[in-house]
Amino acid sequence: MTGLLLKNVSKVYKEGNEEVKAMDNVSLSIEQGEFVAIIGPSGSGKSTLLSIAGALLHASTGEVIINGTDIASLSEKQLSNVRLKEIGFILQTSNLIPYLTVLDQLLVVKRMTGSVSVADKSFARELLTELGLGAKLNNYPSQLSGGERQRTAIARAFMNNSSIILADEPTASLDSNRAHEVVQLISKEVKARDKAAIMVTHDERMLGYCDRIYRMEDGLLKHVENHQASV
């Protein structure tokens, strides 16, 4: 089943009297259980694509379909609900809340959508244990390594059982060993939990964990055939 579908999406910005196309007629389909990478130079449109896929930015033209719903027609309140319930974000830095424990970093996500149940607490512990953080549940971010903080952020992205995972340069602040560990864990969770996932990255060493690879340049998206990436 298709989790995320972009159909002929363009994004145009005005700079003075000129129009700049950050995205130019981009189409992309990602099935549940697929982990797709997007590479390309700075300013190529990668962040714009991720923002549109994440319901953070409106497309100028085209359709953005999440679980069968074209989000272009939704109100701001409805879009906020889509971001909260349907999309898990993993950013360049973990962006953890300093005064919350590792377990509470996940539970606060559930509090945003209502109350926290016993099942929610159990699921949070399950996620954190799967990601090697079972012994760190009561630790604060300042007590974690960089890799542990990013793993906590991965668990948080999966906490609402979102159908789509969007990772923006998730290894930017990590050394090579931690970077491989983090992307491998994202890939594993995407497969195990049947999510549709996009990773924007400059680090081509991570591409071996992905099912498909696309290159974005000058707002155009092209599938990369037979990319040689080592894991």
Side-chain angles (χ1 to χ4, degrees), residues 52-210:
I52 288 174
L56 294 166
L57 194 64
H58 290 283
S60 299
T61 58
E63 298 176 67
V64 181
I65 299 170
I66 295 176
N67 289 331
T69 299
D70 184 359
I71 65 172
S73 60
L74 301 183
S75 67
E76 287 302 322
K77 184 176 180 180
Q78 289 171 318
L79 286 173
S80 179
N81 202 43
V82 167
R83 289 191 293 270
L84 188 60
K85 294 184 176 181
E86 298 292 344
I87 302 167
F89 295 94
I90 305 168
L91 305 176
Q92 294 183 26
T93 55
S94 58
N95 288 330
L96 301 182
I97 301 170
Y99 53 83
L100 292 183
T101 65
V102 167
L103 181 60
D104 283 335
Q105 302 286 340
L106 274 63
L107 297 182
V108 74
V109 174
K110 297 303 297 186
R111 290 192 181 98
M112 293 171 71
T113 58
S115 59
V116 176
S117 68
V118 172
D120 292 332
K121 292 179 180 178
S122 177
F123 182 56
R125 289 190 176 94
E126 175 191 326
L127 271 173
L128 291 164
T129 299
E130 278 186 17
L131 295 177
L133 294 163
K136 305 282 185 176
L137 299 184
N138 296 314
N139 286 40
Y140 292 91
S142 61
Q143 298 170 307
L144 303 176
S145 68
E148 288 168 342
R149 287 193 291 271
Q150 200 66 332
R151 278 187 272 154
T152 303
I154 294 169
R156 182 179 59 190
F158 285 87
M159 181 62 200
N160 262 350
N161 202 23
S162 305
S163 57
I164 295 165
I165 302 296
L166 302 177
D168 185 9
E169 299 283 359
T171 63
S173 60
L174 303 175
D175 62 37
S176 181
N177 289 337
R178 295 288 181 269
H180 278 285
E181 174 188 277
V182 161
V183 177
Q184 187 174 27
L185 286 170
I186 295 172
S187 177
K188 176 185 172 185
E189 290 297 315
V190 165
K191 302 297 183 187
R193 300 186 183 279
D194 211 25
K195 309 303 179 186
I198 298 175
M199 176 177 66
V200 164
T201 184
H202 280 96
D203 192 346
E204 298 196 13
R205 296 171 300 175
M206 302 299 119
L207 299 181
Y209 297 105
C210 301

